[in-house]
Amino acid sequence: MFILTLTQMPDHFDQTVVLNQLRYSGMLETVKIRRTGFPVRRSFQDFCSRYKVLMRGGLMPDDHRGRCKQLLHLYDSSSADWQLGKTKVSPKLF
């Protein structure tokens, strides 16, 4: 039988426990992404509606992800200043 006993002390943090909590919650990965210059993430639909004026009326794919990719390739074909995720686009800020 295992009995977990927690003693709580104010203003006392166990560094190992805190680090594990940050890792498991994905917070450390978020910090890494933000530090590399990708602090903003927009949904594909939001990105398309916000920047549709830049799409020049050309033939666009039916899906929002395809539209985002085409627009971003139009202005930055190197893909160095943006990333596409599963549901969001992350433009790099300078």
Side-chain angles (χ1 to χ4, degrees):
M1 179 176 200
F2 178 73
I3 300 173
L4 179 64
T5 306
L6 295 175
T7 56
Q8 295 182 354
M9 296 186 316
D11 298 325
H12 176 75
F13 296 98
D14 184 352
Q15 290 181 354
T16 306
V17 172
V18 172
L19 184 60
N20 284 337
Q21 288 175 340
L22 291 172
R23 273 193 190 122
Y24 295 137
S25 69
M27 193 55 121
L28 293 181
E29 187 65 26
T30 301
V31 170
K32 286 180 191 176
I33 292 169
R34 305 269 167 117
R35 281 187 178 169
T36 60
F38 296 95
V40 177
R41 295 172 302 177
R42 293 191 177 274
S43 69
F44 295 136
Q45 185 173 3
D46 182 42
F47 188 85
C48 286
S49 65
R50 185 175 180 102
Y51 299 107
K52 66 183 173 187
V53 73
L54 300 175
M55 293 184 184
R56 298 184 181 170
L59 185 61
M60 289 287 165
D62 291 335
D63 63 312
H64 291 294
R65 188 179 198 278
R67 289 180 186 175
C68 289
K69 189 172 185 175
Q70 188 171 356
L71 174 64
L72 291 165
H73 272 292
L74 182 65
Y75 290 98
D76 177 28
S77 60
S78 70
S79 305
D81 294 332
W82 53 271
Q83 293 180 349
L84 290 181
K86 291 181 181 179
T87 60
K88 295 184 179 181
V89 61
S90 299
K92 189 169 190 175
L93 300 180
F94 301 96

